[in-house]
């Protein structure tokens, strides 16, 4: 159920001492081939962490043989030394595994503005390399956790081939991507161009539509590696669908583990004039703190949905808007609809449907409620 579900991959997760807690904090994923095609998608934040800048360059070659990931420090906003440390990390992995540093992607997560303890990280690479195993995917997933309460893995099976993956992320979840590290693997035999196309489309429909708190990370990294070990080249559409399934599964796990959340909110915008309009409206609803507080209080306050819609540039007529909360159409034609007391909000998932009555396009955005626990989580310590 992780990055080692596909043939041709080994992984490890170890405690290198980067975290003061002593918990696992360093992961290594190795592609043993015979192919080493790869693709990557990264944060669109203009402030990018050193490992993002490094890995963006690595992915231009369309080939990755290993990924090293650490939690306990983002290595973001650390200046020239931060980039030197990323380079040194890649060089260490390359040396231990007999690779070139240009084949090693690097990813980091944790506190921004703090340099990594290289005296612990580099020996940790050796420890991780010694622990590499075809059954090491779960340990790798555990090692990349920060405020995550659970580790996150997913898998999809094709006809003789597999796509597996792991992710971390629990807060600062907003496009581009989320504050997350994701590694996907497949034993299908596909060129880097196909991997890139499938990954970008999957990301657009999944990770880019998770919006917990409107905050964009400096470290977002999603990688897809192909070993070709299954010796099968699936139809592109079938493969792309499997990648999307794994990304969707992981994205749902991210929102389900969002810091302090007690409700998962599925926002579906229908009847939009364009997909862009649907996404813009969905995102506006997802980021409305008044609505998020109402959802936490189990109050079906549909007026706050309309207010959020009204801040967008989407095409609609206010007197044609319809809103349902948990399938009860509490707003019809921009006014009072069914009795709001019919809305049952006792359960974890809350479904909001916003009908713009302006076209045939739609989009789904996932968000969560705003709680006192979220405020505590993000004020009690640096994050």
């Amino acid at each position: 159920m992780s990055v080692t579900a596909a043939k041709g991959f080994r992984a490890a997760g170890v405690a290198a001492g980067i975290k003061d807690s002593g918990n696992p904090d360093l992961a290594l994923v190795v592609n043993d081939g015979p192919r080493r095609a790869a693709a990557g998608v990264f944060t669109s934040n203009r402030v990018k962490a050193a490992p993002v800048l490094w890995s963006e360059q690595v992915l231009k070659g369309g080939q990755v043989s290993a990924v090293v990931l650490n939690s306990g420090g983002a290595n973001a906003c650390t200046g020239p030394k931060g980039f030197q440390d990323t380079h040194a990390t890649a060089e260490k992995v390359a040396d231990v595994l007999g690779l070139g540093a240009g084949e090693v992607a690097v990813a980091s997560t944790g506190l921004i503005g703090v340099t990594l303890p290289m005296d612990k990280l580099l020996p940790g690479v050796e420890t991780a390399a010694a622990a590499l195993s075809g059954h090491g995917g779960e340990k790798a997933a555990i090692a990349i956790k920060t405020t995550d309460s659970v580790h996150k893995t997913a898998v999809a099976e094709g006809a003789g081939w597999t796509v597996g993956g792991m992710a971390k992320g629990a807060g600062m979840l907003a496009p581009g991507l989320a504050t997350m590290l994701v590694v996907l693997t497949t034993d299908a035999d596909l060129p880097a161009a196909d991997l890139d196309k499938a990954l970008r489309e999957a990301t657009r429909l999944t990770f880019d539509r998770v919006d917990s708190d409107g905050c964009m990370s400096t470290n977002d990294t999603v990688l897809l590696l192909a070993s070709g070990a299954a010796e099968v080249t699936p139809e592109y559409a079938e493969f792309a669908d499997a990648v999307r399934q794994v990304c969707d599964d992981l994205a749902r796990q991210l929102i389900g583990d969002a810091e302090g959340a007690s409700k998962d909110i599925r926002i579906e915008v229908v009847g939009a004039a364009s997909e862009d309009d649907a996404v813009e409206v969905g995102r506006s609803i997802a980021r409305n703190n008044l609505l998020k507080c109402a959802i936490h209080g189990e109050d079906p306050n549909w007026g706050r949905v309309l207010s959020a819609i009204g801040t967008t540039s989407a095409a609609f007529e206010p007197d044609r808007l319809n809103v349902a909360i948990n399938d009860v159409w509490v707003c019809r034609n921009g006014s009072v609809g069914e009795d709001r007391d019919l809305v049952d909000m006792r359960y974890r998932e809350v479904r909001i449907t916003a009908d713009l009555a302006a076209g045939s396009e739609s989009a789904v955005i996932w968000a969560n409620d705003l709680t006192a626990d979220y405020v505590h989580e993000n004020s009690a310590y640096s994050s």
Side-chain angles (χ1 to χ4, degrees):
M1 283 293 294
S2 188
V3 291
T4 50
K7 299 173 184 176
F9 292 93
R10 292 176 294 151
V14 301
I18 302 169
K19 292 178 179 174
D20 292 337
S21 65
N23 290 331
D25 50 23
L26 185 70
L28 190 58
V29 179
V30 175
N31 181 355
D32 290 321
R35 310 295 187 195
R36 291 177 176 81
V41 179
F42 303 90
T43 182
S44 57
N45 197 321
R46 292 172 61 195
V47 178
K48 300 182 191 297
V52 169
L53 296 173
W54 171 269
S55 296
E56 283 179 330
Q57 293 301 311
V58 169
L59 266 296
K60 287 182 178 180
Q63 180 169 302
V64 170
S65 297
V67 184
V68 57
L69 312 93
N70 76 271
S71 54
N75 196 10
C77 307
T78 47
K81 185 181 187 308
F83 193 82
Q84 291 167 7
D85 288 346
T86 293
H87 189 181
T89 302
E91 290 279 7
K92 182 65 174 181
V93 172
D95 180 60
V96 171
L97 298 178
L99 306 171
E103 302 170 63
V104 180
V106 182
S108 301
T109 182
L111 185 63
I112 293 172
V114 176
T115 56
L116 293 171
M118 299 303 288
D119 60 327
K120 298 176 180 178
L121 191 154
L122 296 181
V125 169
E126 294 186 3
T127 303
L132 284 168
S133 164
H135 303 286
E138 185 174 16
K139 290 183 177 179
I142 292 170
I144 60 176
K145 291 167 53 182
T146 51
T147 57
D148 307 61
S149 65
V150 295
H151 60 285
K152 303 165 179 72
T153 64
V155 68
E157 299 286 350
W161 53 274
T162 298
V163 177
M166 67 178 184
K168 68 77 50 182
M172 208 176 183
L173 298 179
L177 310 180
T179 183
M180 62 187 199
L181 305 182
V182 177
V183 178
L184 309 173
T185 59
T186 182
D187 47 20
D189 190 355
L190 290 160
D194 284 356
L195 300 182
D196 184 75
K197 181 180 177 182
L199 182 62
R200 290 184 184 279
E201 180 64 13
T203 297
R204 184 181 72 82
L205 296 174
T206 59
F207 297 126
D208 272 349
R209 296 188 181 180
V210 167
D211 203 321
S212 172
D213 52 16
C215 298
M216 184 190 296
S217 171
T218 56
N219 289 60
D220 303 332
T221 299
V222 183
L223 302 174
L224 172 57
L225 283 56
S227 69
E231 299 182 341
V232 175
T233 301
E235 291 293 328
Y236 172 79
E238 184 182 2
F239 175 74
D241 185 61
V243 173
R244 185 199 55 75
Q245 287 180 44
V246 173
C247 290
D248 188 54
D249 190 337
L250 293 173
R252 286 290 310 277
Q253 291 182 57
L254 292 175
I255 206 70
D257 194 31
E259 292 169 345
S262 66
K263 303 286 188 184
D264 301 336
I265 310 172
R266 183 184 189 273
I267 302 163
E268 183 175 16
V269 180
V270 300
S274 68
E275 184 180 13
D276 287 345
D277 275 7
V279 171
E280 181 185 0
V281 169
R283 191 142 2 260
S284 180
I285 296 170
R287 293 181 176 180
N288 188 291
N289 284 339
L290 285 176
L291 175 64
K292 289 155 72 73
C293 289
I295 298 300
H296 177 61
E298 299 184 351
D299 174 13
N301 194 330
W302 57 267
R304 294 177 180 176
V305 178
L306 261 62
S307 294
I309 296 171
T311 66
T312 71
S313 62
F316 68 86
E317 294 297 331
D319 60 1
R320 296 189 64 195
L321 295 174
N322 305 297
V323 175
I325 300 178
N326 285 353
D327 304 319
V328 178
W329 289 95
V330 287
C331 170
R332 287 287 193 185
N333 296 317
S335 186
V336 179
E338 297 179 68
D339 186 351
R340 52 180 280 160
D341 290 340
L342 297 174
V343 180
D344 186 350
M345 300 181 68
R346 292 173 295 170
Y347 302 104
R348 174 87 187 197
E349 184 175 310
V350 174
R351 301 179 306 282
I352 295 175
T353 306
D355 178 10
L356 304 186
S360 59
E361 297 299 317
S362 64
V364 173
I365 303 289
W366 281 91
N368 53 266
D369 58 341
L370 184 58
T371 71
D373 286 342
Y374 175 85
V375 176
H376 175 75
E377 182 87 30
N378 287 282
S379 63
Y381 72 100
S382 294
S383 62

